[in-house]
Every structure is written in C-alpha cells, then in structure tokens.
Amino acid sequence: MDWKRFLPALVPHAGLGHLLETYLTWSGVGIISSLIASMLDAYSDIPYAAYYTSALNDAVGFKFWILLSVIGILLFCVSVPVLYLSLRLPQLAGFSARLRRFTYTFFLVAFDEGALMIGILTANFFDTNERISLLANKSFLFSDVGFFTIVALLLLDSLLWLLGEAIYSRNQRGYSGVVELLVNAPLKYALPGYLLVTGLVVQVVVTQ
C-alpha cells in the first residue's frame, strides 16, 4: 500500500484548512467566554456578573456531545452501505443524498460543540480561578482537566470532522475522503472491514 497516496486520500474535499479554521473559531469563542467569565467572577456579588459567570456551566454538556457523536456515527454506518447501493441502483440516489446530509448535520453540530468545549477546557487549563475550575468539572464531568484530556478530545473531535466532511460535502454535495475509499474498495475487502467496524461501534454503544 502506498501510504504517500493513501493518507492524503483520507482528507475530505473541505481540506485541513477548514478544520483549522473551524477549530480556531469555536475554540476561540470558548476561550474568550471563559476568560470573560473569569474576570466577572471578581464581581460575583453583582447579579448580572454572577449570571454570566454561571452561564459557562450551561455552555456545553459533555453527555450531549457524546449523544450527538454516537447518533452521527450510527447514521454513518447506515449511510455508507446505502451510498454503495445507490451507485448501483440510481433510484436510491435521492434517499442516499438526504441521508448523508442528515448524517453530516449531526457530525457538524457535534464537532462545533466539541471545539467550543475544547476552548473552555483550554482556558480552564491555563486559568487557576477556582470557580471556573469547578464549573468546568461539573459541566464536563472531568475531575482533572489536564493536557492529555484536551488532546484526547481534540483527536476525537477531529475524527468527527473527518467522518462528517467525508460523508457529505456542502459545496460539491458529494462524498470524499474515507467514504470514497470505502465505496470504491473491492467488496471482498470493504465488506469484512465494514462489518467489523460497525459491530465494534454497536458493541461499544450497547455496553455503555
């Protein structure tokens, strides 16, 4: 296998620049919001300051992010075989396109929520404000917000972007990246791999 050609083929049409731009946008919002809440904490006895400081706790729920991610991944597992069939049965093309767009929506929202969460956790990592730490711990259920926690979330959220942009491209309204590799791969290789990955996903969801 030629890895020099394989790895770039995994990148969706949107490109890594879009990934970086979206991360900077949403995580930047999270960081700035956290810093503002931290500054307002000095005036927590004032009603409006206390209101906006505590609002950080309601910004993003870690469980909600997981829910969006799980729904998106399960829909992805359904969308890929439907897309494969639609390439051979044109009457399924319309349904496949709608399903892929619906799947993409869950990935899009989950990725944006995750990037916002990463921004808040990053601000908390550098900010020693005790109240902000308590809010982050309560909201995200992390007892210790450390560097590796943020990196792990960054990798998982990037995976959501990779799958979402691969299953549906907003500009071309097509598919690319890993999805294109899957549907174009020989069935004798693609089918066992698909069944294995889908089985693992379902098993993880059920056991959780």
Side-chain angles (χ1 to χ4, degrees):
M1 180 179 292
D2 189 351
W3 291 101
K4 292 183 179 180
R5 296 177 57 186
F6 177 73
L7 293 178
L10 293 176
V11 179
H13 285 319
L16 296 178
H18 175 266
L19 173 64
L20 179 61
E21 179 184 357
T22 309
Y23 261 132
L24 290 176
T25 300
W26 285 96
S27 61
V29 169
I31 291 173
I32 293 173
S33 299
S34 298
L35 294 177
I36 291 174
S38 179
M39 289 185 291
L40 287 174
D41 186 58
Y43 308 97
S44 57
D45 54 333
I46 303 175
Y48 81 86
Y51 175 83
Y52 287 114
T53 301
S54 62
L56 184 64
N57 183 45
D58 302 321
V60 181
F62 182 63
K63 288 185 177 180
F64 184 60
W65 177 74
I66 291 179
L67 176 63
L68 292 172
S69 303
V70 167
I71 294 174
I73 292 173
L74 291 177
L75 286 173
F76 181 88
C77 292
V78 175
S79 298
V80 171
V82 171
L83 172 61
Y84 182 86
L85 292 175
S86 71
L87 297 176
R88 290 147 183 83
L89 300 173
Q91 56 268 35
L92 290 177
F95 173 71
S96 175
R98 288 191 294 271
L99 180 59
R100 288 189 296 107
R101 185 174 183 177
F102 184 64
T103 303
Y104 167 77
T105 301
F106 278 92
F107 280 119
L108 175 66
V109 177
F111 173 74
D112 290 346
E113 293 266 0
L116 178 62
M117 182 167 60
I118 289 169
I120 295 175
L121 292 178
T122 301
N124 177 70
F125 179 71
F126 291 104
D127 193 335
T128 58
N129 186 299
E130 183 179 357
R131 180 175 176 80
I132 300 300
S133 298
L134 291 174
L135 290 174
N137 292 342
K138 180 181 178 182
S139 182
F140 304 126
L141 307 180
F142 297 133
S143 58
D144 182 21
V145 180
F147 174 77
F148 292 105
T149 301
I150 296 173
V151 170
L153 287 172
L154 185 65
L155 293 175
L156 291 174
D157 208 40
S158 298
L159 177 62
L160 296 180
W161 175 87
L162 181 71
L163 296 178
E165 292 293 338
I167 197 66
Y168 184 80
S169 174
R170 285 175 296 178
N171 296 329
Q172 290 83 4
R173 298 187 179 182
Y175 56 91
S176 60
V178 64
V179 174
E180 187 173 11
L181 292 176
L182 285 174
V183 297
N184 291 330
L187 190 60
K188 61 179 180 180
Y189 300 123
L191 184 59
Y194 167 79
L195 292 176
L196 176 62
V197 173
T198 302
L200 289 174
V201 169
V202 173
Q203 178 66 20
V204 170
V205 171
V206 171
T207 54
Q208 286 295 92

